[in-house]
Amino acid sequence: MTATGVVRRTQGDDRWGDVLEWPMTGIRPENPRIDGRAGPLLGVDDLAPVLSWSFAPEDDEPGGAQTAYHVVVTDPGGSAWWDTGIVESDLAQVRYAGPEPAARQRLRWRVRVRDEHDHWSTWSEWSCWELGLLTRCDWAEASWIAHPEREPGDPLPIFARSFTARAPVSRARLHVCGLGVHVVTLNGRPVTDEVLAPGNSNYQRSAEHRVHDVTELLHDGENTLGVALGHGTAHVHRRGTNGGARDAYSWWTSEEPATGTLLVPVQPGADRIRVAEPEAHHVGGSVTVGTRQCWESRQIATVDARGLIITSPLEHGHPAGAPVVGSGDPVAEWEPTAGAAVSPRLLARLEITGSDGSRTVVSGPDWRVALGPVVTDNWFSGTDHDARREQPGWDLPGADHSASALRRDGTRTGWVDAVRTTPPNGTTELVWRQAPPVRVVREWRPVAVREVSARRWVFDLGQNIAGWPQLRLPPVPPGTVVTLRPGESLHPDGTVDQTSIRNDQRGTDVLHTYTACGLPRGERWRPSFQYFAMRFVEVTAPVRPEVLGLQLRADAPRAGAVRTSDERLDRLHRMAHFSVASNLMSVLTDCPGREKLAYGADYTHPMGVLSRHFDLAAYLPTMQRHLAEGQAGRGPDVGNVALKAPVYDWGYRGAFGDEVNWGNAIVLVPWLLHRIYGDTRTMADHYPNMTAFLDYLRRRKAHGNLVTGELGDWVAAEETSGELTGTWGYHATARSLAEMARILGNHADYREFDELADEIAAAFHRRFYLPELGRYSGDGTEAGATQAAQAMPLDAGIVPSAERERVLAALVERIRTPDGPHLRAGHLGLGPVVRALRDADRDDVLWEVSRRDVAPSYGAFLRDTAANPGGLTTIPEQWDMRNSLNHMILTQLDEWFHTGLAGIAQVAGSAGFRALRIRPKVVGDLRWVEGHYTTPAGRVESRWGRDGREFTLTVRIPPNTTAQVHVPGRIAGASRIRDGRGIFEVGPGVRTFRSTLPRADAEEDR
């Protein structure tokens, strides 16, 4: 970009303003990505990843649009693998189409581009990826292992493996999956900064594995691998804890898998097993027969009154009375579905490659295992860690892993040989995680500490986060128990109130305990196997400790932000950001305290907020995998998608299972990936899943093109008909799928689905529109004409053009009530309310509700109370602030901040923000607004300010992108004038526009 701009004087009255132009100076590709993530990436299981790039301005010849690209892929030594040659295209992505790589293959790629002046850029930097172990055969002798005698209530296991390595080492890769949560060290040092690995899944269908480069951690000579396991979501229970959680909280509990014995002996070659309760087993699941000395695992083909028929005959004979253990249901047809408890188990393979190309493998069952210092671990209620049970140096070279090895307290650690065990299910596949890992992203020091009673302190972090408390204790006697209770609010006496993160019917105790071992210099500890929502941490200890808050989230790149001249709006924007960040974990969750579950609607409907805070291009395909795994695969409800996925407990039947606006996430996620990031691969890969869901709706849910959504407009302050919300969701499903069918070239499906969407829209209008009132109602009365009932058809384009003004007026009337303006819409309706008002230029109404302090309102969240000093710091789940205080579903006003106040959006019909629309809104007493957003092409910026009637707007448009800039007020030189705005068609670069606002918008005229 040049240092100075060129002033282009407009024609006519000089008071109308000037346009300042800074021409771009060329383009060059940057930020090369593999499947949406920057390299280097290890363990990739995608044989044909999408290679993409964005742009940065250069200091050479003017340019701004890509007209061609050239991609090369080589191995690390420079040998060519794939060369696209010069491809005439403005697309900044290509799917790898070279020779199919094998497991462990390392590749790198780079790109150069040509601009509209036929100038070629320099090459981008190299970006590398490495294939993982692609098949079960690649894992070879690596097997799942477990503690041979551990019972469900015993302490959690630790595994150790000593081995010898000899220099020089070219590379070393550790392939590992520890369920439910693993923490891995090599020679006492963490192998990664990732936490809460490997990530949540429906373990009956898949388990994520990790690959770590441990080359630099190896010693020449003796080495020791250490792995500690926690339960995670693989085994959720309600057992009490040694530290005081007598009523351990848990939102749900895992179902114990079916267990029993053979009723009659079986001979080698048998394919039928007689068991007492065959109906407790699942078709498609697995069954393990025999003892640990001789067991066989097979998939179940048929379940009937006589027993189980398995897919391949048994190799060995087994006597009557031999153990028989089942699994969960991988197809998830019945309740409970996939929630079979998976006890802690480990799969690991270390490959060490010498400089001469020789490979040493550390794998197999030859591990030692003991019951470690984590006495109790529960995904929902916390951890009890007894430091006296620690064996110092257990994961260091030369550590004693004998049965007589001693803990800190002098008792025996009790190391034994690990034993082979089964995978969670015969259908469980090991998969690479495309989404970014979870990391500690920030430390929060308390802003206040209060001693509320003797030996009881409350630490205020100043911000509600999802994460861990980190405890630091001065020297205390061994056996001293310290209790840490996280919370989002305070009781009147200043102690932590956990009402928002637990439920009396599901348990009341959420806490961690740490039992000290008496180190002379003090002790430091943090949990590792779960996380909580917390602004406050109440610590009970004999001496005053120190506490830090460690904020966790998936390490997705930041995407955008907004700042304004109004402190209230900035605060609401910050609250929305932390609500999104707190629920961006290994899966997108509803809240980080009470449930921690991935409800499809909870992230698809506020996606206009989520995607503006974080780049989710690599994250959402992982969520789509979970949705596909949560789709019923058999029975009359085949095609239905669980209310939440990954599926752990229940979610296919009744009001909380069979819900179109939650299940249709399987259609909306690929559509959103296309709209936001230009992704067509996800829709192509999951097209059968999407059509199966629409087929399910047509077969099982639709009656005359009307569908009932059992949950209605969830958490709204007024009740909207479930038939109205369900039909709206049915229309969104058909319309989105029709557009994807068109994009993929499935023309017959496009015509069918497009016609269906039109028929649903017509049925919606006939059923719910009251022409005499000019509004939509779910029950045919004025009471049913809610805010959501007006906004949803407006936003979906269902309202006939002749009726739009009347319906919009009805929406405004429902908001501007006699007791003041209020937003009453809920989870599904709030986004449509915001967008309908924004698109109709009724930003004055949104401004009014943003100022309101009487509930239901955003202002009520800001109130300074004893329970929440200074007000909330995240957006709660409900308008009445019951339940979770850290949720995403009411953040949707924040979409207006980005797309309305800053005005950064894309032209209708555009995908991947290739065609931008910058249309900022001047509203209320705002003096200035600035916002930015990183599109797939690069960063777009919008900054405006006003001084009286003088308005100035500066925009930055990234390369390879065009924009319509809508400037409010009087300005000359525009290509057209519409709605009192001059519209300019511009290309990449930085431009400043000046205009004169109408008198009605000037502060002195109000």
Side-chain angles (χ1 to χ4, degrees), residues 698-982:
R698 297 168 82 173
R699 286 186 298 104
R700 303 285 290 174
K701 296 288 289 181
H703 302 281
N705 286 318
L706 301 175
V707 167
T708 296
E710 300 292 343
L711 303 184
D713 188 20
W714 188 246
V715 304
E718 58 184 2
E719 185 174 350
T720 299
S721 159
E723 188 180 35
L724 187 149
T725 62
T727 305
W728 171 80
Y730 186 29
H731 174 265
T733 305
R735 183 66 74 200
S736 300
L737 190 49
E739 288 302 308
M740 287 186 279
R742 179 184 60 80
I743 292 165
L744 295 174
N746 298 329
H747 302 299
D749 282 359
Y750 164 66
R751 290 189 292 271
E752 177 185 349
F753 300 155
D754 188 59
E755 181 179 349
L756 175 62
D758 288 342
E759 292 172 353
I760 297 169
F764 184 101
H765 184 71
R766 287 193 304 270
R767 172 68 179 86
F768 302 115
Y769 190 61
L770 305 178
E772 67 280 8
L773 298 178
R775 62 193 63 196
Y776 289 86
S777 171
D779 62 6
T781 70
E782 176 70 29
T786 61
Q787 294 176 13
Q790 315 317 308
M792 295 169 97
L794 282 169
D795 186 50
I798 291 174
V799 183
S801 56
E803 306 295 330
R804 289 188 66 86
E805 288 302 319
R806 294 183 72 196
V807 177
L808 177 65
L811 172 60
V812 173
E813 180 184 329
R814 293 291 299 201
I815 294 172
R816 286 175 166 166
T817 62
D819 63 340
H822 291 284
L823 289 178
R824 298 181 182 275
H827 185 178
L828 305 181
L830 185 57
V833 168
V834 171
R835 291 188 292 270
L837 293 172
R838 177 203 64 193
D839 294 345
D841 288 333
R842 294 310 308 268
D843 305 272
D844 57 318
V845 180
L846 291 170
W847 174 263
E848 290 171 11
V849 298
S850 75
R851 321 315 289 173
R852 189 68 176 167
D853 291 329
V854 179
S857 71
Y858 285 97
F861 304 157
L862 308 180
R863 252 187 239 140
D864 180 18
T865 65
N868 294 99
L872 300 183
T873 61
T874 48
I875 303 295
E877 180 178 5
Q878 296 172 268
W879 291 114
D880 59 9
M881 290 176 277
R882 296 177 59 235
N883 297 331
S884 173
L885 299 181
N886 192 341
H887 217 285
M888 299 188 296
I889 57 180
L890 295 184
T891 62
Q892 298 182 68
L893 183 66
D894 189 66
E895 184 175 352
W896 176 56
F897 300 164
H898 295 268
T899 61
L901 299 183
I904 300 173
Q906 60 179 330
V907 173
S910 171
F913 287 80
R914 291 291 308 280
L916 293 168
R917 186 184 71 170
I918 311 298
R919 194 173 187 271
K921 302 299 187 73
V922 181
V923 63
D925 58 6
L926 283 177
R927 310 307 305 166
W928 57 268
V929 173
E930 59 184 31
H932 66 86
Y933 175 59
T934 301
T935 74
R939 178 168 163 134
V940 56
E941 297 177 4
S942 168
R943 301 189 302 274
W944 66 261
R946 60 171 170 170
D947 184 3
R949 294 174 61 194
E950 299 303 312
F951 178 83
T952 303
L953 170 65
T954 299
V955 300
R956 176 188 295 273
I957 308 303
N960 211 37
T961 304
T962 61
Q964 294 178 0
V965 182
H966 298 238
V967 184
R970 302 180 65 189
I971 185 170
S975 59
R976 59 188 184 278
I977 304 293
R978 188 171 67 202
D979 300 327
R981 294 169 176 264

Side-chain angles (χ1 to χ4, degrees), residues 49 87 125-126 149 204 308 342 768:
V87 179
E125 63 183 6
W126 290 101
E149 299 171 355
Q204 310 302 318
L308 313 176
V342 177
F768 302 115

Side-chain angles (χ1 to χ4, degrees), residues 50 65 113 148 151 253 261 283 477-478 678 681 703 733 861 987:
V50 173
V113 299
E151 296 295 330
T253 55
T261 58
V283 172
R681 179 182 181 178
H703 302 281
T733 305
F861 304 157

